[in-house]
Structures are given as structure tokens and as C-alpha cells.
Amino acid sequence: MINPKRQEGRVIFGATLILYLLMGLVLVFRFQLYQRDAMARTVHALMIFFGTEPKLANIGFLWPPLPVLLQLPLVLVTPLRYRGLAGNVVTAFAGATCAAYLHGLLRRLGLRRALRYLLVGIFALNPMIFLYSANGKSEMISVALLVMQFYYYIRWAEKDSWEHLAMMGLMGGLAFLTRYEAVFLAGVFLLFIAYQLGRRGEGLAHIWAAWLLYGILVAYAVIIWVGANWFIMGHPFYFAVGPYSTNQFALMEMRDKPWLVAVRFDVKLALSTACERIARFFPAFYLTSALVIVRVICHRNRHLLIYLLLPIIFIFNALVNYLWGFPLVYIRYYILTIPISFILGAMFLAHIRSSVFLELVVAVILLLSAPATALMMNEQTSTIGEHYFIQRMLGHELPPPYPAERQMAAYIIEHISRRDILADTAAGSDVIFFTGKPALFVLPADSDFHRALYAPYGRVGYVLVPEAEDAGRVNQIVKTYPDLQHVEDVGWARLVYRVEGWRLYRVLSNPGANGQGD
């Protein structure tokens, strides 16, 4: 006999999965919306199986590996390789899983069925959640793992069941393999565990045992990733200090946006900037926190206070990122404020007597924060994604993004049929994505890349170069031959095709000592 409680979760999972898969198809075939990080991850997944040197090392060592690993079985299915559909499918499953676990969390907290459905609906249709459950990027996986981790925390807190504590640790480890900031949240869950056991009067030995079970799974994920960086790339923290590290991209952002330099060196300004952006993005983050504080003050439910560590650690993480030099200029970095707000709202409702009025207050706060999110998404004109999505959903016709990359890819497909192009996935993955054929390129993960970089003649026939001025910080070709961004004939290579932002050169000889022809 089917458990009706589980059946509810399956219905929610199935309904939201269909919704997000359909949205993914709309993004790809109707809107033709592709986002750079999603394209890059799909390129890396394709390279693992279909590159000239198929190997797991092609996963790339810039981002955490889980979003690419999840695509691996899907890119083996031919239709899902088209325009990165594998990534859209992954995020659709992440969004549906998140909705199902959110419903399960609300049920474990004792919320009424109608209220559960209402809150899950508000969450699932939030414009940011809706887009990121269909666009192939990693953020929705991170959101799902946070909700899942909190769900297993509640299950563990009910019965002190070790299997649920182990599941917490597993979700925490997977969260780190999705987004590095998950280590901050892991610290919060360690405090949650200690607080719950302390309330029960458990001794220090029990707390240490629980910490060990949870922490060892998170630590295992960290050790696996650090070890892979060390053994494959030669440095345990290659992902943080290597030429393709997020720090290099952060420096590029500060070059484009000088105001970020001031933020980096001013704690007060960094904190106020982070808090202001959170308030504009999802006001419920502060409002649900305020409800919890009011409940603590008025009814002395002091144990609710511990859950305010979630918003506190998020703000702290944002501050650290600003000061570290990785400015949170894109609103996707604030997406975790949405599940945190729903968790706080649910915890508030779980600790009051049944009150339709207060239930409506929480629902309205969460619902009315969605237009604020949509408004801020619409302001993101500096990046292709959120603004384009909102405009297309409003019925406005816009030209498909990345026209130059599509043109360059079309030229390559028409004129080149074998592995003959030297390119760098940093500031180059977009063109590779639109060709759908990573085997045409000699890339940094290939064993002969550096030989082709310094002595290309006879190894490759073409060199693909981005024109963006800051590409030289991360693109090894531009670093080595900066003149290729500006000069049509550098002696050893001559421009054969150019579109806005991209140049394709024909290799005529090997470069000299200064990048000039012999």
C-alpha cells in the first residue's frame, strides 16, 4: 500500500519536474537562452567523453565538480547533447527534488496541507527559482542540497536517528562539491547538532560522536577534491590559486567595475553593500528573521534563536567574499536567501499555535518578495540571463544572445572538420559550446596544448582568440600572444575570420621569441 504522505511528495516532485523540464525546453528552443557558466560546464562534460583525450581530468578545476559529474550520464544520450540540454535536465531534477523536500520539511514541522501546498507553490514559481531550475547552472543544486540538509536535520532532531545524521553529512559534502561556500553552512549545522544534543542533556562524548559522523562526510568531500587538485594539477588548492581560479575572474570584475575596489578594502561598505543587495533581492530574508526575533522576545522561545545563524552566516559569507576580492556582483550569488527565508518562515509557524492570520502573514511576505526578485533580475543588463528571461516572459521579443559566438561556431563547422584549432576554455568555451564538437579543438586539458601554444605550426592550423581586453588574465593564448587581439597579421599567423569579440587566425609558421614570425 502506498504511503499517502510519500505520495504527496511524489506528486509534487513529478509536477514540478514536468514544469521545469518544459521551461528548460522553452529556454533552449524558444528563447534560445544559454548562460555562460552552464555552457562551460556542458563543454567540460562533453570533453570527458568526446574530447580528443577523453579523461575525467577534463572536468576542469575552476568550479566544484558535482554539476559536471551529474551531466556525465546524460551527455551520452545524443539528443541531450544538443545545446547543452543535459544541464537543463540536471537543474530540472534539482528544482523538483528541492520542491519535494521542502514539502517534506513543512510536513515534518506540522504545517497544514493547504499551507504546505501554498508555500511550495510560492517557492517553485519564484522567478529566480523558476529560471535556475531550468537553465543548467549550479545554483539550484546548491539550493536543493541546503533544503535537503535541513530536512534531514529535522528528522534527526526528532529521534536522534544516526542514519538521518549521516544523510545530513552526505548532503553537506555534496553541497561543498557544488559551491565552496557550503563550508560555512556546514559550520552552522555543527552548531545546530551541538545545540540539540545540549538541550537533551547529552554529554560531550555524544556531541563529539555526532560531530564526527556529520563532519567526516563533509571532510571526505573536501579531501577528495583537494586531493584531486593536488594529484592531477600539482597543487592542492589549484582551484583557488590556479590561472583559472575564481580569484582571477574576480580581478577581472574589479577591473570592469572600479567601485568594487573600494568595497574590497572597507568592511563597513562591504557589509552595507551586501545587506542592501539582499534587501532588494528578497526582502523576506529580513522579514522572516524579524518574525523569529519577535517570537523569541515575546514568547521566550529561545531555542528558535539558533536558527538565526542561517541568515547571519549567509551575510558573513557575503562579507568575506567581498573582502577576499570575489565580489558578489551577480544576483545568482544571493539565491540561497530564498530557501533560508522559507526555512525561517516554516520554523516560525511550527512554534506558534495554529493561526490562519500568521500563516497568511508568512505566505504574503514570501509571495510579495517575488516581485522584488523579478525587478532586480530585470536590472541585470550587464549579464545575459536574468534580464533576458524576464523580458521574454513579459512577451518582449529580443534577439538571441551570443550572436557573435554563434557566427564563429558556424564558420568553424563549415570550414574545419578535424582537430585543428588552438583555443582556451577560459574566455572560449562559448564558441566551443555552439560548435558542439570539442574534438575540433586543442584545449588546456590536452597533453599537447603547451607544445601547440609555443610551437603551433604543424600541430594546429588555426588559433581562436577573444578580443575582450581582460581575457589576458585567464586566457593563456592571449597572455602569450597579446598582439593577436589587435593585429591582423602578426607574421606567424594571419586573420582569416572575425566577428565582434572573436578572431580566428591561420597559422603560417612558428612564432619567434617575441611572438613575431620567424
Side-chain angles (χ1 to χ4, degrees):
M1 184 176 179
I2 298 177
N3 187 329
K5 293 180 178 179
R6 290 187 177 181
Q7 186 68 9
E8 286 183 0
R10 291 170 182 168
V11 169
I12 289 173
F13 175 82
T16 50
L17 178 61
I18 292 171
L19 176 66
Y20 295 144
L21 285 174
L22 290 174
M23 190 66 242
L25 293 175
V26 170
L27 291 180
V28 172
F29 293 102
R30 180 72 177 89
F31 294 174
Q32 298 186 52
L33 172 58
Y34 313 98
Q35 294 184 261
R36 179 159 286 129
D37 287 0
M39 291 191 289
R41 288 184 173 91
T42 297
V43 166
H44 283 290
L46 289 172
M47 287 167 55
I48 289 172
F49 291 120
F50 305 106
T52 52
E53 296 181 6
K55 55 187 176 182
L56 194 57
N58 285 335
I59 197 170
F61 289 86
L62 166 58
W63 303 285
L66 185 62
V68 176
L69 291 173
L70 292 175
Q71 289 194 44
L72 293 187
L74 299 179
V75 297
L76 294 175
V77 181
T78 301
L80 296 182
R81 292 201 292 271
Y82 179 78
R83 292 293 189 258
L85 272 172
N88 301 88
V89 171
V90 167
T91 50
F93 270 91
T97 301
C98 186
Y101 267 87
L102 178 62
H103 175 267
L105 172 62
L106 301 178
R107 180 170 54 81
R108 302 303 304 190
L109 292 175
L111 274 62
R112 297 182 298 110
R113 177 182 296 178
L115 180 60
R116 296 199 304 266
Y117 288 169
L118 175 62
L119 293 180
V120 170
I122 293 172
F123 177 84
L125 296 176
N126 178 282
M128 195 71 176
I129 298 297
F130 196 34
L131 171 61
Y132 277 77
S133 292
N135 67 356
K137 299 187 75 171
S138 67
E139 281 76 13
M140 199 60 217
I141 303 172
S142 182
V143 170
L145 288 169
L146 171 59
V147 173
M148 294 167 75
Q149 196 170 181
F150 198 83
Y151 168 83
Y152 285 116
Y153 162 72
I154 293 297
R155 294 295 306 272
W156 167 79
E158 291 173 348
K159 298 180 180 179
D160 194 16
S161 52
W162 292 98
E163 62 269 27
H164 291 125
L165 185 59
M167 288 300 294
M168 276 178 62
L170 177 61
M171 296 305 113
L174 292 176
F176 171 79
L177 295 176
T178 304
R179 303 286 299 183
Y180 295 130
E181 59 265 28
V183 294
F184 290 100
L185 289 169
V188 169
F189 278 100
L190 286 173
L191 295 176
F192 286 174
I193 291 168
Y195 182 77
Q196 284 293 338
L197 293 175
R199 284 184 63 203
R200 298 177 194 159
E202 301 289 354
L204 190 59
H206 195 155
I207 294 174
W208 277 113
W211 273 6
L212 181 63
L213 179 57
Y214 172 80
I216 199 169
L217 292 169
V218 178
Y220 181 74
V222 175
I223 291 169
I224 286 292
W225 184 232
V226 169
N229 276 261
W230 195 355
F231 291 124
I232 296 174
M233 305 308 296
H235 193 291
F237 301 105
Y238 180 86
F239 61 90
V241 300
Y244 301 106
S245 68
T246 52
N247 189 52
Q248 294 297 325
F249 285 93
L251 293 173
M252 289 169 57
E253 290 295 341
M254 284 189 286
R255 181 174 177 176
D256 291 341
K257 303 173 180 65
W259 63 270
L260 291 171
V261 178
V263 173
R264 183 180 184 183
F265 297 103
D266 188 327
V267 175
K268 185 177 179 180
L269 180 59
L271 182 60
S272 64
T273 301
C275 291
E276 180 267 337
R277 290 179 68 82
I278 291 171
R280 291 178 55 217
F281 176 70
F282 201 65
F285 182 81
Y286 294 120
L287 296 175
T288 52
S289 299
L291 287 176
V292 170
I293 292 172
V294 169
R295 181 66 184 174
V296 169
I297 294 173
C298 295
H299 298 273
R300 298 183 180 180
N301 283 343
R302 285 178 293 179
H303 60 278
L304 267 180
L305 205 59
I306 189 72
Y307 300 112
L308 291 176
L309 285 175
L310 284 173
I312 290 172
I313 201 64
F314 182 86
I315 294 173
F316 176 74
N317 173 56
L319 176 63
V320 169
N321 274 280
Y322 272 115
L323 298 177
W324 185 35
F326 189 68
L328 307 185
V329 293
Y330 303 123
I331 62 172
R332 65 177 181 266
Y333 297 125
Y334 297 92
I335 195 171
L336 286 183
T337 60
I338 299 174
I340 288 173
S341 301
F342 276 81
I343 288 171
L344 290 176
M347 295 304 295
F348 169 77
L349 292 175
H351 289 83
I352 62 171
R353 295 178 181 177
S354 181
S355 168
V356 175
F357 172 74
L358 290 178
E359 290 173 352
L360 287 174
V361 167
V362 172
V364 168
I365 286 174
L366 294 169
L367 176 62
L368 293 184
S369 291
T373 303
L375 183 63
M376 195 168 180
M377 290 171 69
N378 194 45
E379 295 173 359
Q380 298 295 295
T381 55
S382 61
T383 58
I384 296 171
E386 292 85 3
H387 170 77
Y388 185 88
F389 171 74
I390 294 296
Q391 289 296 308
R392 292 305 304 265
M393 291 296 287
L394 292 174
H396 300 152
E397 290 295 330
L398 297 174
Y402 298 107
E405 287 77 5
R406 295 168 190 265
Q407 292 177 46
M408 180 60 77
Y411 179 89
I412 288 172
I413 292 171
E414 181 180 353
H415 293 88
I416 303 172
S417 59
R418 62 186 180 89
R419 183 179 184 247
D420 208 24
I421 310 168
L422 181 69
D424 195 335
T425 46
S429 60
D430 306 344
V431 173
I432 300 170
F433 173 85
F434 284 114
T435 66
K437 298 178 179 180
L440 295 177
F441 300 85
V442 177
L443 300 169
D446 296 333
S447 59
D448 58 347
F449 174 78
H450 284 94
R451 290 194 297 272
L453 176 64
Y454 296 111
Y457 187 69
R459 293 186 172 91
V460 293
Y462 299 88
V463 179
L464 179 66
V465 179
E467 289 185 338
E469 290 185 7
D470 55 8
R473 187 174 291 279
V474 292
N475 186 291
Q476 294 190 52
I477 298 171
V478 176
K479 277 184 179 180
T480 308
Y481 309 114
D483 285 350
L484 290 177
Q485 288 191 307
H486 313 288
V487 182
E488 292 189 4
D489 189 339
V490 293
W492 64 272
R494 182 177 296 122
L495 184 69
V496 294
Y497 187 68
R498 179 184 179 274
V499 293
E500 184 179 357
W502 296 94
R503 291 170 171 246
L504 186 67
Y505 284 85
R506 188 76 168 95
V507 176
L508 305 175
S509 64
N510 279 326
N514 296 317
Q516 301 301 315
D518 292 331

